[in-house]
């Protein structure tokens, strides 16, 4: 057992006291884990658009003070009763959604939407007792999506921790706990393109695309970002480049990027995109353009923008008989998807996905092994790195559109 097991740990954490204000480095008290919980030491974390969205608190009920952060890698410090598959010293990735292994979803081979541990952005406390494990001079500090990795130590439900190969570099594989896995899995696990197939990806943004997190704004790609009900429990973040990486790994021979900003095309080549279509260059619907390019339509398409028009185009551009379209972006809560029923009768398939259909505990270790076996490239997603004391720079990079993923080193 750790020498600190069962004791309160005092450590540094970047606390958000108010919406949109710089995080403040504070000394926090981290209580010991309770039943089915694990306390871990965070070594590396990364900033995701989800953190920024809830930090800005636009179009939602603010919940402060709070410790954000959900993409990270760390080492188990101590465990409590009920935890049998983790021990102090294990390397883990905390994940914003979980796998209890007991509910119908967890027992199903087709779903990763755990009844108990599915993401809940409104909850700022632990499931066990409805209390926070963080405090400052007696004042509770709220958790964020059950992870709160912008702290040197955090407490997480065991079902939200993936035990990984200890040889894997945590400063690289930490980004697998959210966006990369979402985009990668949307292609590999749901679209499932065959070797030599054609894939269309809607929305090419060099930076991570978080279609559900920025209300009433537009990305550089000019696909409209939709207002999303802030009470929605399902949060989906994806980088288009990650979906393209999945298509590359699958062996697709044609990866067609679709975007309204041609300046994104050269950057997208780094992630395997082979051809580009700017809908503004044509007088006909983009789905018709793609159908003409591909002799009837692409084999697979992945839509990541949240634009309802892009979703319809992604579905209608796939080939009849075998074409599959996968929706990743989150639309406006009032949007409706409209297409002719004949598209379905002509055997086109429409699917959706959450976290790339990966079960966190069961599947993420194998994704880490993909990186270890050099099947998956992660370095090209990491554009910046800062020490924990300069975490606010990571926000500046992302808000300025300069960062895909910024790694935050917890130790100087």
């Amino acid at each position: 057992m750790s020498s600190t097991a069962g004791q309160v740990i005092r450590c540094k954490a970047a606390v958000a006291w108010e919406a949109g204000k710089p995080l403040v480095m504070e000394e926090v008290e981290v209580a010991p884990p309770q039943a089915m919980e694990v306390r871990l030491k965070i070594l590396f974390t990364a900033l995701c658009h989800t953190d920024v969205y809830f930090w800005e608190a636009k179009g939602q009920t603010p919940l402060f003070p709070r410790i954000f952060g959900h993409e990270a890698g760390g080492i188990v410090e101590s465990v409590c009763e009920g935890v049998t598959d983790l021990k102090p010293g294990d390397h883990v990735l905390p994940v914003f959604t979980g796998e209890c292994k007991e509910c119908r979803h967890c027992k199903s081979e087709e779903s990763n939407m755990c009844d108990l541990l599915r993401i809940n952005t409104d909850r700022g406390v632990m499931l066990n007792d409805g209390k926070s494990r963080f405090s400052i001079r007696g004042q509770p500090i709220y958790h964020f999506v059950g992870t709160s990795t912008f702290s040197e130590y955090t407490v997480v439900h065991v079902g939200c921790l993936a035990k990984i190969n200890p040889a894997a570099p945590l400063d690289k594989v930490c980004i697998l706990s959210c966006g990369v896995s979402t985009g990668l899995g949307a292609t590999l696990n749901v679209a499932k393109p065959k070797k030599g197939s054609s894939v269309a990806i809607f929305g090419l943004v060099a930076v991570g695309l978080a279609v559900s997190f920025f209300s009433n704004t537009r990305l550089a790609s000019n696909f409209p970002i939709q207002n999303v009900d802030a009470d929605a429990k399902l949060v989906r973040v994806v980088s288009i480049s990650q979906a393209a990486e999945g298509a590359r790994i699958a062996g697709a021979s044609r990866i067609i990027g679709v975007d309204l900003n041609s300046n994104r095309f050269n950057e997208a080549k780094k992630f395997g995109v082979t051809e580009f279509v700017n809908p503004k260059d044509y007088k006909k619907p983009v789905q018709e353009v793609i159908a003409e390019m591909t002799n009837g339509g692409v084999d697979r398409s992945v839509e990541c923008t949240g634009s309802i028009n892009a979703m319809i185009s992604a579905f209608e551009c796939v080939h009849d008989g075998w074409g599959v379209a996968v929706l990743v972006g989150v639309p406006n809560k009032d949007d409706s998807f409209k297409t002719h029923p004949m598209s379905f009768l002509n055997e086109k398939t429409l699917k959706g996905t959450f976290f790339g259909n990966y079960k966190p505990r069961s599947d993420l270790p194998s994704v880490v092994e993909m990186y270890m076996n050099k099947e998956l490239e992660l370095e090209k997603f990491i554009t910046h790195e800062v020490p924990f004391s300069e975490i606010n720079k990571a926000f500046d990079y992302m808000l300025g559109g300069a960062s895909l993923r910024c790694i935050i080193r917890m130790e100087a």
Side-chain angles (χ1 to χ4, degrees), residues 49 203-210 217-225 259-264 278 280 400-402:
H49 289 82
L204 296 170
V205 185
V207 299
L209 179 60
T217 60
R218 286 179 179 267
L219 290 176
S221 65
N222 293 327
F223 275 122
I225 301 175
D259 198 277
L260 296 173
N261 187 341
S262 299
N263 293 331
R264 297 293 177 185
N278 187 332
K280 292 191 297 185

Side-chain angles (χ1 to χ4, degrees), residues 131-151:
K131 297 180 180 179
S132 174
R133 302 291 175 259
F134 298 108
S135 64
I136 297 178
R137 294 179 292 278
Q139 178 182 2
I141 308 297
Y142 290 114
H143 294 250
F144 178 63
V145 295
T147 52
S148 293
T149 61
F150 292 167
S151 174

Side-chain angles (χ1 to χ4, degrees), residues 53-54 58-61 121-122 227-233 333:
Y53 171 74
F54 285 94
K58 295 179 179 179
Q60 55 174 287
T61 302
T121 58
D122 296 329
N227 277 320
V228 177
D229 184 356
D231 292 331
K233 299 300 186 292
K333 65 178 181 178

Side-chain angles (χ1 to χ4, degrees), residues 91-142:
H91 287 215
V92 293
L93 300 181
V95 186
F96 64 90
T97 190
E99 181 185 355
C100 72
K101 296 191 175 183
E102 298 296 332
C103 70
R104 288 191 301 167
H105 284 280
C106 287
K107 291 182 178 180
S108 168
E109 295 181 357
E110 300 179 5
S111 175
N112 66 341
M113 302 183 72
C114 177
D115 284 330
L116 178 66
L117 299 170
R118 191 180 309 180
I119 183 172
N120 185 328
T121 58
D122 296 329
R123 186 173 60 236
V125 294
M126 300 300 291
L127 280 172
N128 180 275
D129 57 5
K131 297 180 180 179
S132 174
R133 302 291 175 259
F134 298 108
S135 64
I136 297 178
R137 294 179 292 278
Q139 178 182 2
I141 308 297
Y142 290 114

Side-chain angles (χ1 to χ4, degrees), residues 12-119:
K12 294 293 184 182
V15 178
W17 289 98
E18 298 180 62
K21 296 295 179 65
L23 306 187
V24 179
M25 203 62 64
E26 303 274 13
E27 181 178 81
V28 300
E29 293 186 343
V30 185
Q34 301 301 308
M36 301 301 293
E37 296 174 1
V38 177
R39 188 164 60 185
L40 54 145
K41 181 178 182 179
I42 299 296
L43 297 185
F44 297 93
T45 187
L47 179 66
C48 175
H49 289 82
T50 319
D51 301 307
V52 175
Y53 171 74
F54 285 94
W55 165 73
E56 289 184 321
K58 295 179 179 179
Q60 55 174 287
T61 302
L63 188 61
F64 295 94
R66 203 170 200 181
I67 297 174
F68 289 102
H70 64 284
E71 281 192 355
I75 298 176
V76 173
E77 176 269 338
S78 62
V79 303
C80 196
E81 61 181 285
V83 178
T84 59
D85 54 353
L86 289 174
K87 63 183 185 303
D90 285 341
H91 287 215
V92 293
L93 300 181
V95 186
F96 64 90
T97 190
E99 181 185 355
C100 72
K101 296 191 175 183
E102 298 296 332
C103 70
R104 288 191 301 167
H105 284 280
C106 287
K107 291 182 178 180
S108 168
E109 295 181 357
E110 300 179 5
S111 175
N112 66 341
M113 302 183 72
C114 177
D115 284 330
L116 178 66
L117 299 170
R118 191 180 309 180
I119 183 172

